[in-house]
Amino acid sequence: MRTLIHLSDLHFGRVDPALIAPLTALAARLAPDVVVVSGDLTQRARSAEFRAARAFLDGLPGPQIVVPGNHDVPLYNVAARFLTPLHKYRRHVCDDLSPEYIDDEIAVLGINTARSLTFKDGRVNHAQIDRVRARLDGLGPGRTKVIVTHHPFDLPQHFGESKLVDRAPAAMDMFAACGVDLLLAGHLHASHAGNTAARYQIGGYAALMVQAGTATSTRGRGESNSFNVLRIGAGHIVVERYSWDEGGAGFGLVGAESFGREGGVWAGHPLP
Ligand SMILES: [Fe+2]
Ligand SMILES: [Fe+2]
């Protein structure tokens, strides 16, 4: 069993400072095996925002798998946006845009979907798909395989296709071939957990897709600040959601969903 904390959409520059210390303390108490941050660490990709994000990450347990989001690419500085789009991210947060954490139970691979041209939308390219395929093929069976991106590969049906990462179908075909179990993403500031079977009809395959809300930003879009804790066993994953309680001034557990894998298909299971 592995414990993974999934944070997303920190948006330093627009954070609620009251959340930082309680979140940091709770993360330490949860004693995760790995912490995932699925992008949008800053609001406007400013150096001061990246420094604040770096200080926050330094207060969290490790190891950490972090990927950039669209807000980590400069929007208004056009030269920086196109010539050195992730320079500050790489300098302050993580120089590796393909980070990975692998032990004998789980393999967690990050993919950068932030782009200069399609500022808000994200994209995976064929080189990234080929790299992940080669990496996963080399691992062999036995580990729960987890992919981390900022932009989601799947969402509930009421979200349109435009909200999904570009080339998602090609990536999904590779995920099916490699037996990817779990897709972690953010971007929409909305929590969700479910499988990919409704949007992607791939015979004998459905991944578990988990969205995290915004952990610390004031741009909650109607949802309280939240994050997920995933308890990952062999063929079984429990997704716990922690949400900010304004009255109690802390994050509390507000729900848990259980999923199991039969063959290559992940689906909801009653909680044990
Ligand atoms: Fe965001
Ligand atoms: Fe985003």
Side-chain angles (χ1 to χ4, degrees):
M1 176 75 71
R2 293 287 182 260
T3 297
L4 183 155
I5 293 181
H6 176 200
L7 307 173
S8 198
D9 295 82
L10 309 178
H11 287 287
F12 276 88
R14 285 283 293 276
V15 302
D16 179 347
L19 277 61
I20 301 300
L23 177 53
T24 304
L26 178 54
R29 285 202 302 279
L30 288 164
D33 296 285
V34 58
V35 172
V36 163
V37 182
S38 55
D40 279 358
L41 284 87
T42 66
Q43 181 63 20
R44 284 286 167 245
R46 296 187 174 107
S47 294
E49 296 172 353
F50 277 117
R51 283 195 291 272
R54 178 73 262 161
F56 173 70
L57 294 177
D58 287 345
L60 295 176
Q64 300 173 359
I65 295 296
V66 186
V67 295
N70 50 301
H71 279 259
D72 301 318
V73 174
L75 176 60
Y76 299 119
N77 183 337
V78 175
R81 177 175 163 191
F82 289 101
L83 297 176
T84 55
L86 286 169
H87 171 74
K88 289 182 193 171
Y89 173 88
R90 296 178 73 155
R91 178 173 169 201
H92 294 285
V93 177
C94 184
D95 190 40
D96 186 355
L97 298 178
S98 307
E100 59 182 46
Y101 168 81
I102 297 169
D103 64 23
D104 55 1
E105 292 190 24
I106 59 172
V108 185
L109 275 64
I111 304 174
N112 166 33
T113 57
R115 297 292 189 269
S116 306
L117 272 172
T118 56
F119 173 73
K120 198 169 167 204
D121 301 326
R123 180 174 290 167
V124 288
N125 61 36
H126 294 296
Q128 289 173 307
I129 292 172
D130 291 346
R131 179 190 64 79
V132 171
R133 184 198 307 271
R135 196 70 185 102
L136 291 175
D137 282 350
L139 290 175
R143 295 178 180 86
T144 302
K145 301 183 182 78
V146 185
I147 299 292
V148 181
T149 55
H150 178 62
H151 300 83
F153 290 98
D154 193 17
L155 287 166
Q157 291 287 7
H158 64 272
F159 287 98
E161 297 265 324
S162 66
K163 299 290 185 191
L164 304 178
V165 63
D166 277 5
R167 303 200 180 99
M172 289 297 300
D173 285 342
M174 180 272 284
F175 295 156
C178 295
V180 167
D181 297 287
L182 172 62
L183 307 172
L184 301 178
H187 186 54
L188 292 172
H189 301 196
S191 303
H192 172 71
N195 80 5
T196 58
R199 192 181 299 271
Y200 300 100
Q201 280 87 42
I202 302 174
Y205 177 74
L208 174 58
M209 170 75 217
V210 175
Q211 290 280 131
T214 170
T216 52
S217 154
T218 56
R219 304 169 77 232
R221 297 175 194 156
E223 185 177 304
S224 296
N225 291 99
S226 66
F227 67 96
N228 298 323
V229 176
L230 291 95
R231 313 286 183 179
I232 303 174
H236 183 247
I237 295 175
V238 175
V239 182
E240 302 172 351
R241 188 154 73 92
Y242 285 74
S243 187
W244 179 250
D245 173 9
E246 297 289 345
F251 283 91
L253 180 63
V254 294
E257 293 176 86
S258 179
F259 298 87
R261 182 183 59 207
E262 283 185 26
V265 175
W266 282 90
H269 275 191
L271 277 167

